[in-house]
Amino acid sequence: MSDIAEGRMSFSLSYGDCDMVGIAYFDIYYRWMERTYTGWLYSHGLRSGQIREDLGVLIAGVSSGCDYHAPATVFDELTCQAGLARMSTSSYRIEFGFTRDDQPITTGQMTFACRTPEWAKAPVPDRLAELLGTLPVRQVSV
Amino acid sequence: MSDIAEGRMSFSLSYGDCDMVGIAYFDIYYRWMERTYTGWLYSHGLRSGQIREDLGVLIAGVSSGCDYHAPATVFDELTCQAGLARMSTSSYRIEFGFTRDDQPITTGQMTFACRTPEWAKAPVPDRLAELLGTLPVRQVSV
Amino acid sequence: MSDIAEGRMSFSLSYGDCDMVGIAYFDIYYRWMERTYTGWLYSHGLRSGQIREDLGVLIAGVSSGCDYHAPATVFDELTCQAGLARMSTSSYRIEFGFTRDDQPITTGQMTFACRTPEWAKAPVPDRLAELLGTLPVRQVSV
Amino acid sequence: MSDIAEGRMSFSLSYGDCDMVGIAYFDIYYRWMERTYTGWLYSHGLRSGQIREDLGVLIAGVSSGCDYHAPATVFDELTCQAGLARMSTSSYRIEFGFTRDDQPITTGQMTFACRTPEWAKAPVPDRLAELLGTLPVRQVSV
């Protein structure tokens, strides 16, 4: 089910992902979101750590968040699907749907803003905007 | 400046907290939020992993989030101050203000809901509600 | 190349795996070792967190270690292959060879000891010993 | 008990440090070792990520390891004390003793080698060697 070029990654929860109560620790979703998002960009030739060099703008993370719908536990197989939740001229929000057997577990989001090196608002670069447009459109709940 | 009994913790960013771009990785704030929140509860005699045994209700994390205001880098000294952002009969939201020299860096939140073992809404236990009431009242922006 | 049933897992390094210097942070190998080892056990029907219930002995981690041969950076694809480095009557050591395009990057190890609930030495349970015997035999360098 | 200028740091274990079995996850010691070591260097004016710029040599991590003596659990207060376990002309090993109420919990080590930019062996820079000499001398067991 993993197809990183489509913004999708599957993984199994390990002991290191889970806390004493036996469920996935609340912050592990953020790390998988980053892995999915930057892996997806990379699969299309963009390195999120080099956007300034490659596309001439800074892209700053302005917010992140998760809604937890159901707990997950060690060895559960989760799929994380990135979607485009919002795009304006200078910012965009990616939603991440984590599911287990197609049941929603967690919905996350990361929001980014484009800035000039002088920190003024900058438009989302065309190449990036076009790529973002290929993601499924999602309604984010966070 | 650390005084965990007042919901406050100070710490220095380590290399392990920072990413390739040289700034604090976006998910490290979540781990410090948990450390501050559960450490604060513990300093008042409550273990968040044993709330059911101690207070008779389940407390589920329903959402978390961060707004990133300014970047922080390795060896920066940050202070995390917990505050009460919202309390209803069966849920509450803790806000976390991360500052460096009193300048805002990141504002985070964790929202919890109280449930019976059968997963019906349950009131926030009196002992916990009273303790939450001792936190500074904050307006959360996430 | 991933085949967890043979103790092998492949993964790409994310930004969260790398530090400010741009290379994989030294502790991330440990998390991938655990993921590979416990995932391999699980693929053969054993949950490392339930060994006492399932096999009647405690298995304690007594040491871990890594030798770093060459740096790895973000988006590198690494393969982690578990091997059996040593087995005595009451303990065993798993070696983990991390490679990139078959070049050695890091060699890790985890050593476990079997104990009775009273903490006396206990033999490695037959079922586990048999399973360990299916791993490739490795010479660990740590 | 924390005095980072003497290579010592105290901390409480959080839920995020502990695994499903309820004890400190085996890799968390590595992160505290780095925090103690680089914080100690920084308290003496050295940034481990800028050693090349500041002292003219590369310092590569060549190995790390931990011996686990006794388990620790959430809210335990641990102290990590760095010591000098070995120093040769071009490499050195730092030992880290983790204790709880002066009882040994875990002993860790990190070993570093000095290299020229062309990756030949280089002597440990005088300033660093002198600083390392101020750490307590330890016998490492890993």
Side-chain angles (χ1 to χ4, degrees), chain B residues 46-126:
Chain B
L46 288 176
R47 289 169 165 264
S48 74
Q50 281 183 209
I51 293 285
R52 183 177 174 177
E53 292 82 344
D54 293 344
L55 301 183
V57 299
L58 297 170
I59 298 187
V62 293
S63 78
S64 62
C66 278
D67 277 354
Y68 305 101
H69 310 301
T73 189
V74 66
F75 303 126
D76 280 357
E77 294 207 34
L78 302 188
T79 297
C80 175
Q81 172 68 59
L84 183 62
R86 199 179 71 197
M87 185 153 60
S88 69
T89 45
S90 66
S91 71
Y92 59 93
R93 174 172 288 192
I94 309 286
E95 185 203 69
F96 300 86
F98 290 86
T99 52
R100 182 184 53 206
D101 298 332
D102 294 324
Q103 298 301 308
I105 299 295
T106 290
T107 305
Q109 65 89 4
M110 295 172 74
T111 305
F112 299 92
C114 299
R115 294 279 183 267
T116 67
E118 296 75 32
W119 211 245
K121 283 188 183 181
V124 179
D126 287 348

